[in-house]
Amino acid sequence: CSLQAGLAVLLKAERLFHSSYHSQAVHIRPVCRGSHWFAQLPCGGFTDASCLAVSWELRQTLTVVFDFFSSGQGKKDWSLFKMFSRTLTDTCPLASQSKVYVDISPKNKEKELMEVSPPPTSVHKAVVQGDKKTYAVYDLLSLSLFNTSRSLNVQLKWKRPQDSSEMPIPTLHAQRYVGGYGLQTGEICTLIYNTHPYRAFPVILLETVPWYLRLYVHTLTIITKGKENKPS
């Protein structure tokens, strides 16, 4: 469907590349379509002495962060049109699944202060990193979703203005900075924080190294709570 229908309609380059953060990734792995026995490997591949046929699985992801609150507008309200300058007009006929999830989890036990429109087709609840999450689900394959309008503009509004001090802190978040200069004293420092009161999480860290820094793996040190930590 290219950019004519489906979620890809939102992929407007001038909006994506002016966001606070964007990341594109392509994942390819072999999948055994038919065999009498195979063993899954941790890396996602497989070992199989009698694999009858092999398929290749292609997964493409795009991660984008829009930060309207700190950009001077001072509001946490958002909509698809506000972020992408476009709305969803139709689903791609070739898609077997096409959904939009909106996190509407209340951060405390008080009355929910946010509302999404139009009404979602369903609500999904899940546990993410030990926290209970509630998601409003918009199923683009649902015939009722485009009945009233040929355009879907998902919006989230707050029923009253929110104080900036109430911005929630993610359970896992990170900071990184470059210190020193040159190949002798230059360094990359990455700080990873876990704000959960009692639970520990396994972390996979992927570093994008600036072109002007040369890394020496033997100088890598990982310190946790003042003590050196050996990664797995």
Side-chain angles (χ1 to χ4, degrees):
C1 290
S2 187
L3 300 178
Q4 305 303 318
L7 297 176
V9 172
L10 302 177
L11 304 184
K12 190 177 181 180
E14 62 186 66
R15 299 293 295 176
L16 298 180
F17 298 146
H18 283 80
S19 58
S20 299
Y21 172 86
H22 66 272
S23 172
Q24 302 177 55
V26 177
H27 305 269
I28 303 176
R29 66 165 186 164
V31 177
C32 187
R33 279 190 287 141
S35 66
H36 301 293
W37 171 88
F38 74 95
Q40 191 77 20
L41 297 180
C43 61
F46 59 86
T47 174
D48 186 2
S50 60
C51 185
L52 303 179
V54 177
S55 295
W56 291 94
E57 178 186 271
L58 169 64
R59 183 163 61 96
Q60 303 177 80
T61 63
L62 171 65
T63 304
V64 185
V65 175
F66 293 95
D67 190 355
F68 294 110
F69 191 87
S70 62
S71 62
Q73 300 181 23
K75 295 182 179 180
K76 292 191 288 183
D77 299 347
W78 59 264
S79 68
L80 290 182
F81 184 79
K82 188 176 181 181
M83 289 186 291
F84 301 101
S85 295
R86 292 179 179 177
T87 58
L88 295 173
T89 56
D90 199 0
T91 182
C92 180
L94 299 178
S96 59
Q97 187 181 58
S98 186
K99 297 180 179 180
V100 176
Y101 291 83
V102 180
D103 188 351
I104 56 174
S105 308
K107 62 181 178 179
N108 49 41
K109 296 182 180 180
E110 297 179 357
K111 184 179 180 180
E112 296 184 24
L113 301 175
M114 67 181 73
E115 57 182 0
V116 291
S117 61
T121 54
S122 63
V123 176
H124 175 71
K125 295 186 177 181
V127 178
V128 181
Q129 295 181 348
D131 295 331
K132 295 181 179 180
K133 294 289 186 178
T134 303
Y135 298 95
V137 183
Y138 295 87
D139 188 355
L140 270 63
L141 297 182
S142 176
L143 298 178
S144 61
L145 194 60
F146 292 102
N147 274 351
T148 57
S149 173
R150 294 299 299 173
S151 174
L152 175 63
N153 182 28
V154 180
Q155 303 179 62
L156 186 143
K157 295 183 178 180
W158 290 83
K159 297 179 181 179
R160 71 165 184 250
Q162 297 295 293
D163 187 10
S164 60
S165 62
E166 296 183 4
M167 291 290 288
I169 299 177
T171 303
L172 293 176
H173 62 280
Q175 297 178 357
R176 186 180 73 163
Y177 60 89
V178 177
Y181 59 91
L183 296 180
Q184 289 184 327
T185 62
E187 62 180 9
I188 297 178
C189 295
T190 301
L191 308 179
I192 303 177
Y193 299 91
N194 177 14
T195 60
H196 199 278
Y198 59 85
R199 184 176 177 182
F201 299 98
V203 174
I204 298 177
L205 178 63
L206 174 64
E207 284 278 7
T208 303
V209 182
W211 63 270
Y212 53 83
L213 285 180
R214 180 178 298 175
L215 292 187
Y216 298 96
V217 181
H218 71 281
T219 65
L220 173 67
T221 57
I222 299 178
I223 299 176
T224 304
K225 295 182 178 180
K227 297 182 180 180
E228 187 171 359
N229 184 8
K230 297 293 185 181
S232 55

